[in-house]
Amino acid sequence: MLRIYLRTIALLGPQSGMAITLAVSNLALALAQFAEPILFGRIIETLAQAQAAARMPSYEDLLPLLAAWVGFGLFNIGAGVMVSLHADRLSHRRRLGVLTQYFEHVLQLPLSYHGETHSGRLLKVMLEGVDALWGLWLSFFREDCAAVISLVVLVPVGIWINWRLGLILIVLMVVFGIVTGFVIRRTESLQRKVEDFNSDLAERTSDALGNVAVIQSYTRIEAEVSGLKDTVSRVLAIQLPVLSWWAMVSMATRAATTLTILAILLVGTWLYTKGLANIGDIVTYVAFATMLIGKLDSTVGFFNRLMMSAPRLGQFFEVLDTVGAVRDRPGARPLAQAAGSVKGDVVFDDVSFSYDGKRPALEDVSLHARPGQSFAFVGTTGAGKSTALALLHRVFDPQSGAIRIDGVDIRDVTLASLRSSIGVVFQEPLLFNRSIEENLRVGKPDATEAELRDALARAQALELVERNPMGLKAIVGERGRALSGGERQRLSIARAILKNPPILILDEATSALDAVTEAKVQAALDEVMKGRTTFVIAHRLATVRNADRILVFERGRVVEAGGFDELVAEGGRFAALARAQFMASAAEAPPETAQPAGASFSG
């Protein structure tokens, strides 16, 4: 837990100068706070001595003490306000700074990580993590820093003034330390379980909200709510004992206030009768005890917050520490710089890859796609098609072999330059809940309106703008739900056209479309493929027929390769796939007259 807190302070990074200034200010504030009880004791002692001598107290004796008391009091008020003000500013600045840092880091993590980690959990970890950081920073510079310094200073000061009364304060601190440590040990593991359940809550609610249509159509509302209530009940079953333990510490704090002051009065009176303490000492130590209880209460509250926040911060730092297996090598250069210019000459040289290290997903795959050629990958589900193209834009790196673009190993170039040279049209169109214009500018941020409209026209999608009163400013909805499936796909194709990459990947871009929509999307695909090295995970016959070369995958290997007519004539795996998915009459017809029937070559 201490390690997490030290890292929390280390995250202040760019604001470290202000943090040091606040720490020094807290030191001065803590020292100044000790002046008040000491001066108060001196004033009481002066009055007591005057009363014992049956005379009026001298202003020469009292005025310096009163003036110093007022001065320290005003300093404490002013310094406290300034510390609180700048602590607020520092905490808010770093909260937003770390939130941005986390967000940028998560976006850079590989797709394999996002495939294994729920987006609802990542969002929950981000929001709760930065809020916990903000709370700890704020409490540290407002209260905790001064409280810790006060506790450290109080011991030598207390011993110096009267070591016998000082021992009472030391005993109180030791007892508090033991009780707090015991409670932390009892509750730390429980709080980690609470955060695990809270993450489950985030995942469940995110899943439900993202699949409202399924929940309503399958009348799952009651079941989903029931599942949520069950998770909430488990959270409470673990959280309530944690709260009970810390409530006990809070009660002990209040009891300690009375017991400590009583002990000081009793011991102080006894010491006074023995001539070992004066009235001023007793008054000073009563004030010390009150101050100490307040600082201990603040410190216990700090440990409570830290204990409650530690699991959240642990999850936050776990994500922040995650390093993808795929990252830039030292000395990696931009692809255009390494290759001279990106033409799109792609070579797979005996590439092998396994997800689990046991069963190969790809095995000894070799191919050479020259600039402007189109390659189609076909085969059954799990044959290795998607894995091969995932390796091309470095979602993973091969365990053996190499992939080269224009003669350069893609592992020797920067990820950003590699991926900026590759355009991807996914099977499921991935759109932001933003305007058409903003979704298109993902492909080219500085595109003009004329370029946007040209890309839409070439993607058979200009009608989306022309029929909408808001034009390019029209919002497409979450994941493009305000559009039809074909419209979403054509918009994603327009985005790829606008990016204008030398290499293009089409991941089953015409799957699950009706015949009319498929024709429009296919026309858009033909446009975007012009002049680019294109890799297609084949789903429709028209796309397969137009490919310069077709590779048939089976169990991670390329078992057949050639043109459409050549593979059909061979009567092998590709011909069997065609016969299995098309009507007998279409299969028997000459290839150049066969029509797609909406069947699929791959899952």
Side-chain angles (χ1 to χ4, degrees):
M1 192 165 64
L2 179 60
R3 179 182 59 83
I4 289 178
Y5 189 67
L6 291 175
R7 185 164 182 188
T8 298
I9 297 300
L11 273 179
L12 290 169
Q15 297 290 324
S16 57
M18 177 58 72
I20 292 172
T21 301
L22 286 172
V24 173
S25 300
N26 272 285
L27 173 60
L29 192 59
L31 293 174
Q33 288 173 346
F34 279 99
E36 292 190 38
I38 293 175
L39 288 170
F40 184 51
R42 293 293 179 266
I43 292 171
I44 296 299
E45 180 61 24
T46 300
L47 294 173
Q49 288 176 356
Q51 185 180 30
R55 62 177 175 84
M56 293 295 293
S58 169
Y59 283 106
E60 287 78 7
D61 294 334
L62 288 176
L63 280 177
L65 296 174
L66 291 172
W69 193 9
V70 171
F72 278 111
L74 292 175
F75 174 80
N76 287 338
I77 294 172
V81 170
M82 294 304 296
V83 166
S84 295
L85 176 63
H86 288 288
D88 275 354
R89 292 177 177 178
L90 170 66
S91 301
H92 279 88
R93 285 197 190 102
R94 287 310 298 147
R95 176 185 180 275
L96 296 176
V98 173
L99 185 147
T100 304
Q101 178 185 346
Y102 176 97
F103 183 66
E104 180 181 10
H105 175 74
V106 168
L107 290 181
Q108 291 175 340
L109 291 175
L111 293 178
S112 56
Y113 177 84
H114 288 279
E116 298 169 356
T117 309
H118 198 283
S119 58
R121 178 182 288 266
L122 289 175
L123 180 61
K124 176 256 183 191
V125 168
M126 179 179 74
L127 296 178
E128 291 191 352
V130 295
D131 282 345
L133 288 170
W134 169 79
L136 288 175
W137 287 327
L138 190 62
S139 68
F140 179 79
F141 289 113
R142 268 188 174 180
E143 303 168 359
D144 303 331
C145 183
V148 172
I149 293 172
S150 297
L151 293 177
V152 172
V153 172
L154 186 61
V155 174
V157 171
I159 296 296
W160 172 62
I161 295 175
N162 189 309
W163 67 269
R164 297 173 181 84
L165 292 174
L167 287 176
I168 298 176
L169 301 181
I170 294 174
V171 169
L172 176 63
M173 292 174 62
V174 171
V175 171
F176 255 89
I178 293 173
V179 171
T180 303
F182 173 76
V183 172
I184 288 175
R185 286 194 299 272
R186 291 297 300 266
T187 58
E188 191 172 8
S189 61
L190 292 177
Q191 190 62 32
R192 281 198 297 267
K193 292 180 181 178
V194 168
E195 288 308 313
D196 289 339
F197 281 125
N198 283 334
S199 295
D200 292 341
L201 278 174
E203 289 186 13
R204 179 176 286 274
T205 52
S206 178
D207 266 343
L209 294 174
N211 293 281
V212 170
V214 175
I215 290 173
Q216 292 181 352
S217 63
Y218 282 85
T219 61
R220 287 278 306 172
I221 295 177
E222 185 178 346
E224 290 296 322
V225 172
S226 176
L228 187 68
K229 288 180 178 179
D230 180 60
T231 305
V232 168
S233 298
R234 284 183 286 173
V235 170
L236 287 175
I238 299 176
Q239 184 72 81
L240 291 179
V242 175
L243 299 177
S244 298
W245 277 109
W246 285 102
M248 184 184 72
V249 175
S250 180
M251 291 173 58
T253 302
R254 294 187 178 91
T257 303
T258 303
L259 294 175
T260 303
I261 293 175
L262 180 60
I264 288 174
L265 290 174
L266 291 174
V267 174
T269 301
W270 180 80
L271 291 174
Y272 177 77
T273 61
K274 300 296 183 182
L276 299 175
N278 55 46
I279 294 175
D281 289 342
I282 298 172
V283 171
T284 297
Y285 275 86
V286 168
F288 274 169
T290 304
M291 177 188 291
L292 178 61
I293 295 299
K295 300 303 181 184
L296 287 173
D297 192 28
S298 176
T299 304
V300 168
F302 157 69
F303 278 112
N304 185 8
R305 287 190 297 274
L306 180 57
M307 193 277 301
M308 294 289 188
S309 301
R312 300 174 193 171
L313 292 174
Q315 293 176 350
F316 184 86
F317 291 134
E318 182 181 350
V319 175
L320 212 56
D321 291 338
T322 300
V323 178
V326 176
R327 55 186 181 274
D328 287 343
R329 285 180 172 177
R333 296 183 297 163
L335 178 58
Q337 180 183 335
S341 63
V342 184
K343 303 178 183 66
D345 187 272
V346 178
V347 173
F348 278 60
D349 187 6
D350 289 329
V351 172
S352 296
F353 175 77
S354 173
Y355 290 99
D356 57 10
K358 300 177 182 178
R359 185 174 63 88
L362 280 184
E363 190 172 2
D364 300 327
V365 173
S366 296
L367 63 90
H368 184 189
R370 293 176 173 81
Q373 284 190 320
S374 60
F375 273 54
F377 293 178
V378 302
T380 56
T381 300
K385 311 179 299 298
S386 296
T387 301
L389 295 184
L391 293 174
L392 176 59
H393 58 103
R394 288 197 73 193
V395 175
F396 313 100
D397 279 334
Q399 273 99 28
S400 64
I403 302 173
R404 289 185 286 273
I405 296 179
D406 297 342
V408 180
D409 192 320
I410 63 174
R411 290 170 292 192
D412 294 330
V413 301
T414 61
L415 277 169
S417 67
L418 170 68
R419 291 170 181 171
S420 66
S421 301
I422 300 174
V424 183
V425 178
F426 298 95
Q427 178 180 6
E428 178 187 357
L430 303 175
L431 300 177
F432 297 98
N433 184 23
R434 303 170 191 171
S435 66
I436 293 174
E437 178 181 4
E438 288 177 284
N439 274 284
L440 290 175
R441 288 190 189 279
V442 171
K444 186 179 180 183
D446 59 349
T448 64
E449 183 174 340
E451 289 175 319
L452 296 177
R453 289 182 176 274
D454 178 65
L456 287 167
R458 291 171 63 189
Q460 309 288 312
L462 189 57
E463 63 185 85
L464 297 180
V465 174
E466 293 178 339
R467 72 165 186 250
N468 195 301
M470 297 183 66
L472 288 168
K473 302 297 183 183
I475 304 298
V476 303
E478 186 178 359
R479 298 193 179 186
R481 288 175 181 172
L483 306 175
S484 69
E487 290 170 341
R488 290 196 295 269
Q489 194 63 280
R490 281 178 280 156
L491 189 57
S492 67
I493 293 171
R495 183 170 60 192
I497 292 174
L498 200 61
K499 184 178 182 181
N500 195 27
I503 301 169
L504 182 67
I505 295 174
L506 303 178
D507 187 358
E508 300 190 80
T510 60
S511 65
L513 299 178
D514 60 80
V516 175
T517 303
E518 178 194 347
K520 291 183 178 180
V521 172
Q522 189 59 56
L525 290 174
D526 292 339
E527 181 65 27
V528 75
M529 291 167 64
K530 288 180 181 178
R532 310 177 203 282
T533 307
T534 306
F535 295 90
V536 183
I537 295 181
H539 191 79
R540 301 293 188 183
L541 181 59
T543 305
V544 175
R545 181 184 298 283
N546 294 333
D548 294 309
R549 192 165 181 80
I550 299 170
L551 274 60
V552 182
F553 281 76
E554 186 173 294
R555 296 182 181 178
R557 287 181 169 272
V558 177
V559 294
E560 291 180 1
F564 183 92
D565 295 339
E566 177 187 353
L567 292 177
V568 170
E570 285 180 1
R573 304 280 171 74
F574 179 79
L577 284 172
R579 286 194 300 270
Q581 297 185 32
F582 286 86
M583 297 174 59
S585 58
E588 293 168 0
E592 57 271 12
T593 63
Q595 298 296 321
S600 168
F601 275 98
S602 62

